[in-house]
Amino acid sequence: MLKSIVKLFSALNANVNPAEIAHAFSCGILLGFMPKDNLLWWLVFVFVLFIRINKPMYLIMVLIASTFSPVMDSLFDTVGYAFLTIPALSALFGTLLDIPFVGFTKFNNSVVMGSLLCGIVLYVPMYFLGRILVSLWRNHITHWIRKTHLAKAVAKLPLVAKIAGMVGE
């Protein structure tokens, strides 16, 4: 885990494309909102691993969004129930449930569907927020942190030298 965090911070400061970091930010939020006990979560998780994004940011955002998702379950339930009860889609949902293994995705669970829909709707705004945060980090925050006395003192610690050596690996 420490190595992933080190890679994340090195990517934030390196010449890594900000779009890769922003997409990872958005994908992590999308997946973090979803309940983890279904096939749909695993399908999305594996699919996103094949996309060219910053994997440490992706995994960290999944963890962060997962901590906030229980607070938002009532919203997810409301959105999912409203979507799943659309009369025009009831025949489609019935047909999908008749297909083998589709039921394992638990798409018919209002919380699963609501969290997926909310994650999809939030994808674009979170992408732009991620781009803004990367820009702020690279242009302002790192320069300010490097100038502090605390950062200069911490940089002299042997453990920090070891972590900095991990970046090169």
Side-chain angles (χ1 to χ4, degrees), residues 67-135:
T67 60
F68 293 108
S69 82
V71 175
M72 300 172 64
D73 275 351
S74 63
L75 170 70
F76 298 152
D77 184 44
T78 305
V79 170
Y81 183 78
F83 184 76
L84 290 171
T85 56
I86 295 174
L89 296 176
S90 63
L92 172 67
F93 294 144
T95 304
L96 286 174
L97 281 173
D98 291 337
I99 299 172
F101 299 108
V102 173
F104 293 128
T105 63
K106 294 187 182 179
F107 77 91
N108 58 335
N109 181 324
S110 61
V111 175
V112 172
M113 182 58 74
S115 63
L116 177 65
L117 291 173
C118 288
I120 290 170
V121 167
L122 286 174
Y123 189 91
V124 173
M126 290 297 112
Y127 171 80
F128 287 114
L129 177 65
R131 292 287 299 241
I132 290 168
L133 291 175
V134 169
S135 175

Side-chain angles (χ1 to χ4, degrees), residues 39-59:
L39 182 62
L40 184 61
W41 189 89
W42 288 102
L43 290 172
V44 173
F45 178 76
V46 170
F47 175 73
V48 171
L49 288 177
F50 288 106
I51 299 172
R52 186 179 180 133
I53 60 171
N54 184 277
K55 302 303 190 278
M57 173 62 88
Y58 170 61
L59 297 174

